[in-house]
Amino acid sequence: MDDDIELRRLIDTIYSRYHYDFRRYSSASVRRRAVQGMIALGCKTFSGLEELVVQDPAAFTQLLQYLTVQVSDLFRDPGYFRAFRERVVPVLRTYPSIKLWVAGCANGEEVYSFAVLLLEEGLLDRTMIYATDINPSALQAAEAGIYLLDRMRAFTANHQASGGTCSLSSYYTANYGSAVFDRTLRKNVVFSDHSLATDAVFSEVQVVSCRNVLIYFERELQDRAVGLFHDALSLRGFLGLGAKETLRFSRHEMGFDAFDAEERWYRRH
Amino acid sequence: MVPAALGARAGVEAVVVGGSAGAVAALGEVLPKLPADFPPVLVVVHVLPSTPHLLAELFAPRCAMRVLEAESFAAIERGCVYFAPADYHLLVTRDRRCALSIEPPVNFSRPSIDVLFESAAVAFGPSLVGVVLTGASHDGAEGARVIAEGGGRTLVQEPATTEVPVMPAAVLAAVPSAHAVPLAGMASALRAMVMAP
């Protein structure tokens, strides 16, 4: 399979034409996702796909869904949210206002997890949540806050394991196989287009949660992203990563202390 | 022990293993019998995402090879076994490193055997060997087909020696070149494929 050069060209073209930068993403995942997109769009080669997306922005929008598809859960890795609730929240409680950045929010599962948790802890009213992603369709889905009802059993179990104090079902309404999250949960949420590969810091925040995003980034891009988090965080601000992500080997490792190493919470110097 | 058709064509540079129901016990008959300098072995076992599995910890003390949980971008090295973490796909990059992903489940599974096998086939081509163990799904059949397409080979656990025969049987049906090996002979078959000139 020597279509590596074709794939490279497709990724370069996407960047120059549409300013989406997948050039420093892990090749294995990008290849797999591009193949899925290629099949869905009826192309036979990466070159054919490149030609199509150059001519047809709508086809690119479709391809983007394949390139960025992520499936997370509410309260995925309950221990992460338990650590946030038990160890980070007591610190946040001493602040008059809180800004939390969920970087790479995909379809919003983590946004609603934090919103529910902060509501339960009585902090949601004074918290601003920035939910960012590169995919506008994912942001729309996140803003809608609608998930398959089938998934709620797993979400509920995660919520309980994370130390949830109320029933998760009190935060959504079931409707024709869907669970629609209460709009009051997102009254302080700003959903916004932001790329860790190309954009800059947009606000000072006290907490950054960026999970299962760095696993796709080559080292150089990881360093860029963690550098943004460092710049965005206020002194002693908190950074949370995915269960299989770490600041070990990062250029910015020295800029953070491990706060809860097991659950991947760090604190900025 | 090894059918003539399995005699080495390209040297074996990596082995990818997939298993589902009953696979932890089956792996116990394979991994501990591989020598410390064996080519890298990457393993996907279907487990419930909610239970953090401790497969690496379980197998490390029993194996001559180093047993690790795969990390994104870790170089794939001879003498190491890499387990896919629970609730992540494990892929292999073209430059032969591990990659993790939370793209949607494939065959209702994350990690998925097909995802590992297909990406490893791209990276290793004819020097790849796939192994499909006991299980109740069809995950692995498409991956084994892609391995064969790239010139690699696949062994399956002889269905009669499995706890659940569905998964190896699906591979045998999909990939004519796949060979069934009884569980007790799997490690020596793999060693022979690596040793063969």
Side-chain angles (χ1 to χ4, degrees), chain B residues 91-147:
Chain B
L91 300 87
V92 178
T93 64
R94 272 306 279 263
D95 58 354
R96 300 183 174 181
R97 293 181 293 158
C98 296
L100 302 179
S101 144
I102 59 161
E103 42 194 285
V106 173
N107 304 316
F108 309 102
S109 303
R110 187 169 68 191
S112 147
I113 301 164
D114 280 345
V115 170
L116 171 63
F117 281 19
E118 288 169 26
S119 61
V122 172
F124 288 100
S127 64
L128 181 69
V129 173
V131 176
V132 176
L133 302 171
T134 171
S137 110
H138 285 219
D139 197 18
E142 174 60 17
R145 197 190 61 72
V146 176
I147 290 177

Side-chain angles (χ1 to χ4, degrees), chain A residues 76-94:
Chain A
R76 179 186 166 108
D77 305 320
Y80 175 82
F81 289 96
R82 182 177 278 278
F84 180 79
R85 189 189 293 268
E86 292 175 355
R87 301 197 55 198
V88 177
V89 161
V91 179
L92 300 181
R93 221 181 267 296
T94 66

Side-chain angles (χ1 to χ4, degrees), chain B residues 12 15 91 145 182 188:
Chain B
V12 175
V15 176
L91 300 87
R145 197 190 61 72
S188 48

Side-chain angles (χ1 to χ4, degrees), chain A residues 52-256:
Chain A
L52 177 67
V53 300
V54 164
Q55 290 165 3
D56 181 2
F60 171 70
T61 304
Q62 264 180 283
L63 176 61
L64 186 63
Q65 307 319 308
Y66 287 92
L67 289 176
T68 60
V69 65
Q70 307 295 325
V71 176
S72 192
D73 298 321
L74 260 81
F75 296 97
R76 179 186 166 108
D77 305 320
Y80 175 82
F81 289 96
R82 182 177 278 278
F84 180 79
R85 189 189 293 268
E86 292 175 355
R87 301 197 55 198
V88 177
V89 161
V91 179
L92 300 181
R93 221 181 267 296
T94 66
Y95 300 164
S97 68
I98 303 154
K99 288 180 177 173
L100 183 158
W101 176 15
V102 180
C105 71
N107 295 325
E109 289 89 344
E110 188 154 312
V111 176
Y112 290 94
S113 305
F114 275 114
V116 164
L117 193 161
L118 290 165
L119 180 66
E120 288 175 333
E121 296 298 326
L123 292 179
L124 188 61
D125 279 343
R126 55 176 145 129
T127 303
M128 176 69 81
I129 300 178
Y130 298 105
T132 65
D133 202 88
I134 59 170
N135 182 347
S137 312
L139 285 168
Q140 278 173 16
E143 190 155 10
I146 300 171
Y147 302 96
L148 283 177
L149 202 52
D150 292 350
R151 303 177 69 196
M152 286 301 137
R153 201 150 60 121
F155 292 179
T156 298
N158 284 349
H159 175 239
Q160 287 303 310
S162 79
T165 55
C166 298
S167 163
L168 190 63
S169 61
S170 52
Y171 305 113
Y172 65 81
T173 17
N175 194 3
Y176 298 106
S178 294
V180 184
F181 274 86
D182 192 334
R183 63 173 61 244
T184 57
L185 287 170
R186 56 177 177 273
K187 71 177 196 295
N188 292 343
V189 183
V190 177
F191 294 91
S192 166
D193 190 341
H194 183 274
S195 163
L196 297 170
T198 54
D199 290 333
V201 169
F202 53 86
S203 173
E204 180 175 330
V205 299
Q206 285 72 50
V207 184
V208 174
S209 181
C210 180
R211 301 207 304 150
N212 300 313
V213 175
L214 300 184
I215 51 173
Y216 299 106
F217 289 0
E218 296 279 354
R219 171 69 55 77
E220 190 191 337
L221 185 50
Q222 284 191 24
D223 282 343
R224 186 187 196 278
V226 176
L228 287 185
F229 303 151
H230 190 269
D231 292 347
L233 282 167
S234 52
L235 197 63
R236 311 301 291 145
F238 296 91
L239 169 64
L241 299 178
K244 303 303 164 191
E245 294 163 333
T246 157
L247 291 182
R248 202 168 28 128
F249 313 126
S250 164
R251 186 150 58 85
H252 302 283
E253 184 178 8
M254 294 304 157
F256 293 88

Side-chain angles (χ1 to χ4, degrees), chain B residues 30-39 41 63-65 81 186-188 190-191:
Chain B
V30 180
L31 297 179
K33 296 179 184 166
L34 302 177
D37 63 347
F38 202 73
V41 179
C63 293
M65 298 180 76
V81 176
M186 186 62 80
S188 48
L190 288 171
R191 292 174 72 152

